[in-house]
Amino acid sequence: MRKKSGGSGLNNRIGRSWKIRAFWRAWTLGLGLLMLTFLFTSNSHANGCASLPFAVSNAATGVSSTGATLNGRVAVSLGCNATVSFEYGLTAAYGSTVTASPATVINSEGTSVSATITGLTSNTTYHYRVTAENSAGTSYGADLTFFTGSIIGPALTARSNSPVFEGMTLELYADLSISTVNQFSLEGKMPTSPADWYWVGPNGFISSDQNPTISSVTTAAAGTYTVSFTTSVVPTELMNTVSSISIEDFVPQLESTTEVAVLGNPVAINNGPICEGDMLELSATTINGATYAWTGPNGFTSSLQNPTIENATPQAAGEYSVTATVDSVESAPATTTVVVHPIPETPLAGNNGPLVAGNDLELTASLIANATYAWTGPNGFSSALQNPTIPNATAQAAGEYEVVATLSGCPSLPGTTIVSFKSIPDAPEAGSNSPICEGDMLELSATAIDGATYAWTGPNGFTSSLQNPTIENATPQAAGEYSVTAMIEGVSSAPATTTVVVHPAPAGCTITAPVTVAFGSDGNSAAIVEGSTPGATYTWVIYVDGVLDNSLITAGQNTSEITWSAPAVFETIDIGVVVETANGCVCDNDPPVAGQFPGNGVQIAAQSADIPTVSEWGMILFSLLLAATAVIYMKRKHNQII
């Protein structure tokens, strides 16, 4: 509960209030008498403003740290007016002027005027007065002052020993100080009694102590704490020094807040249990702004939040401790226990080789108490037995075997043993002439091994006992992986493989075209019977009487069909095409030009009606000879006549 203000403060307030009311009544009465005198005097003059205006300065209102409203009252005689303004400044010499509102007072027995000023300096005393001017002269109100900012006031500051860690004692403090007025120091004159302190905070905290504490604090205590201070006493020295102060000026109730941070103590963990030689990883929970200090076995120290130890030994086992420090406040230590298991001894591995294919392979490892075993070896072998067996072992079981013993989750170094078989041939190297095109011959090859026989297998059921077999007219079904083994005295080598790629051939390159065409004909076509091959290129050629003339191609070059024109005169036209896939597989149909190509293309003849026979050529030549003879004869005869 807050304490109520004491009786002495109330009596002071009532007494001062009565004095103020009495002063105001006296001042009002005096002003009224002055106004009557002014009116009487002004009315006694017949012409213009024979008397000065009447100006009174009133108290400033709306005072802030940078501004105030200046107030006054102005009266003028009937038939007169006055221009009104305010003068203000840091001294009674003023220095600044501001126009009043209203700026002109007319025929008034008393008009309130004011002016608002800004841009003032805080915590500064300013002087001001009202001025009124008419034709008779200028009147000035009294010099008054105001103070920018609080007249007086105690300052309350809440603080704490934050940050603190869980389990520590939280200490709250309320500091009370007094400001100064006109260089008058109120230090040492602070109100003390009667007074109330009132703290509230998180987790339902309440206290009436000025400086309360919370022991064994938890994170629930973090947050905002508010302290208020209430008093009803104003120091006598203050009342006697600042004559204008009232009980309200002192701001008898103050309030302040402080933020409290309660940090959780760090939590320490590790990645154990670990094995000897592993990396030990220590970690502490993140606390913003904290530094860390680790200590541990074997003289370990670290200032990292999450330190590590490379190649940890059993001497690194034990308890590790970490503290976090924030703003010089150290947390309680957090601990974590590390376990480092030693590595088991390496097991001794052995086998019953060398073997003949078909015998049982027996693997052995020395006994390590309470250990588990893990074997690995050639051909995908694995076993969890201490002494495993591979029945009917083949040459593929030859090679190195490893065994690891594991104890308390820690594996040993591997023990190894080599298994060998009698007369195991070296694996041949397999190869081919891949990639090839559909229809080509596939040639497989294996390196020569003295005294060896070979066994090939491959796609589409392929088998062969040749060292270097072939497949005529290979199809895409021949593509894939081929495997070959070499065998000496019944012992087979490891297989060697080669991958064959067979690219499909073009769909075809058989040409269809007219058997005969007319001289000079246009729009003739030639096309591939099998249609187009996706992604393939097409190269067409046209020979006229054995001479290449691709200018006759009018459309379709690099497609599966072209359009072409026949020359004016010809005997034969030969057309060919080469189709090549993106993988380089070719279908070649060259034209049958004698002496140049094998003759796989098409040949086109001129239509028979257009080609004269030998006898027709003779008649044509004979007719031309007769015509020429007749012309010569007529010309000579004509010359004789002339």
Side-chain angles (χ1 to χ4, degrees), residues 226-413:
T226 302
V227 60
S228 60
F229 169 79
T230 305
T231 185
S232 59
V233 176
V234 178
T236 302
E237 298 91 332
L238 176 62
M239 297 297 293
N240 293 337
T241 303
V242 185
S243 59
S244 62
I245 196 168
S246 68
I247 190 67
E248 289 81 4
D249 292 327
F250 191 74
V251 192
Q253 179 171 337
L254 301 175
E255 188 173 272
S256 181
T257 62
T258 184
E259 292 294 327
V260 169
V262 180
L263 307 175
N265 289 302
V267 176
I269 59 173
N270 70 84
N271 63 329
I274 62 171
C275 298
E276 180 180 359
D278 289 347
M279 177 186 287
L280 171 59
E281 300 173 0
L282 302 168
S283 61
T285 49
T286 299
I287 299 173
N288 291 335
T291 59
Y292 296 84
W294 283 88
T295 59
N298 213 23
F300 173 79
T301 61
S302 176
S303 60
L304 298 177
Q305 178 186 349
N306 304 313
T308 59
I309 299 177
E310 299 278 352
N311 299 315
T313 65
Q315 287 72 30
E319 184 175 88
Y320 288 75
S321 175
V322 61
T323 59
T325 299
V326 178
D327 294 341
S328 301
V329 179
E330 186 177 81
S331 71
T335 61
T336 182
T337 299
V338 170
V339 175
V340 181
H341 292 302
I343 294 177
E345 62 181 270
T346 302
L348 180 62
N351 70 84
N352 62 332
L355 300 175
V356 175
N359 292 347
D360 292 346
L361 170 59
E362 299 173 358
L363 301 169
T364 59
S366 57
L367 177 63
I368 298 174
N370 301 317
T372 59
Y373 294 84
W375 282 89
T376 58
N379 211 27
F381 172 78
S382 64
S383 175
L385 298 176
Q386 178 186 350
N387 302 311
T389 297
I390 301 177
N392 301 315
T394 65
Q396 284 73 30
E400 183 177 82
Y401 289 75
E402 289 188 353
V403 60
V404 173
T406 299
L407 189 62
S408 299
C410 297
S412 69
L413 294 175

Side-chain angles (χ1 to χ4, degrees), residues 494-544:
T497 61
T498 183
T499 299
V500 169
V501 175
V502 180
H503 294 302
C509 55
T510 305
I511 300 172
T512 178
V515 177
T516 61
V517 296
F519 291 146
S521 60
D522 294 326
N524 302 307
S525 67
I528 295 175
V529 174
E530 294 83 1
S532 62
T533 298
T537 58
Y538 299 82
T539 304
W540 292 85
V541 292
I542 294 181
Y543 286 82
V544 178

Side-chain angles (χ1 to χ4, degrees), residues 30-110:
L31 178 61
L33 292 174
L34 288 173
M35 292 294 291
L36 290 174
T37 302
F38 170 76
L39 291 174
F40 175 78
T41 303
S42 64
N43 287 332
S44 65
H45 297 279
N47 298 316
C49 296
S51 61
L52 295 172
F54 186 73
V56 176
S57 299
N58 290 339
T61 58
V63 179
S64 68
S65 61
T66 59
T69 299
L70 309 180
N71 299 299
R73 195 170 179 82
V74 174
V76 296
S77 60
L78 295 176
C80 290
N81 59 58
T83 301
V84 185
S85 62
F86 286 90
E87 296 177 315
Y88 68 95
L90 298 178
T91 67
Y94 308 112
S96 298
T97 302
V98 62
T99 301
S101 177
T104 302
V105 176
I106 304 173
N107 297 333
S108 173
E109 296 179 359

Side-chain angles (χ1 to χ4, degrees), residues 17-261:
S17 177
W18 179 85
K19 291 176 182 178
I20 292 171
R21 288 197 298 271
F23 173 76
W24 175 252
R25 289 171 182 169
W27 187 86
T28 304
L29 179 60
L31 178 61
L33 292 174
L34 288 173
M35 292 294 291
L36 290 174
T37 302
F38 170 76
L39 291 174
F40 175 78
T41 303
S42 64
N43 287 332
S44 65
H45 297 279
N47 298 316
C49 296
S51 61
L52 295 172
F54 186 73
V56 176
S57 299
N58 290 339
T61 58
V63 179
S64 68
S65 61
T66 59
T69 299
L70 309 180
N71 299 299
R73 195 170 179 82
V74 174
V76 296
S77 60
L78 295 176
C80 290
N81 59 58
T83 301
V84 185
S85 62
F86 286 90
E87 296 177 315
Y88 68 95
L90 298 178
T91 67
Y94 308 112
S96 298
T97 302
V98 62
T99 301
S101 177
T104 302
V105 176
I106 304 173
N107 297 333
S108 173
E109 296 179 359
T111 299
S112 296
V113 294
S114 63
T116 299
I117 55 177
T118 59
L120 304 181
T121 302
S122 62
N123 297 317
T124 303
T125 299
Y126 284 85
H127 292 254
Y128 71 95
R129 68 181 179 183
V130 65
T131 67
E133 181 182 1
N134 65 9
S135 59
T138 302
S139 295
Y140 299 93
D143 177 70
L144 299 180
T145 63
F146 64 88
F147 182 76
T148 54
S150 300
I151 296 298
I152 190 62
L156 179 61
T157 303
R159 61 186 178 89
S160 72
N161 64 333
S162 173
V164 294
F165 286 93
E166 285 185 290
M168 294 183 176
T169 297
L170 172 62
E171 301 171 0
L172 300 169
Y173 302 95
D175 298 329
L176 190 62
S177 60
I178 295 293
S179 61
T180 61
V181 176
N182 297 334
Q183 287 71 50
F184 174 75
S185 175
L186 296 179
E187 185 176 357
K189 302 174 179 61
M190 189 183 306
T192 56
S193 178
D196 271 344
W197 297 96
Y198 186 69
W199 283 89
V200 294
N203 207 27
F205 174 77
I206 297 175
S207 176
S208 59
D209 293 335
Q210 180 179 355
N211 301 315
T213 61
I214 302 175
S215 60
S216 300
V217 71
T218 67
T219 54
T224 302
Y225 286 77
T226 302
V227 60
S228 60
F229 169 79
T230 305
T231 185
S232 59
V233 176
V234 178
T236 302
E237 298 91 332
L238 176 62
M239 297 297 293
N240 293 337
T241 303
V242 185
S243 59
S244 62
I245 196 168
S246 68
I247 190 67
E248 289 81 4
D249 292 327
F250 191 74
V251 192
Q253 179 171 337
L254 301 175
E255 188 173 272
S256 181
T257 62
T258 184
E259 292 294 327
V260 169

Side-chain angles (χ1 to χ4, degrees), residues 576-594:
V577 67
V578 176
V579 183
E580 183 174 357
T581 67
N583 293 314
C585 296
V586 175
C587 182
D588 191 350
N589 200 350
D590 289 322
V593 179

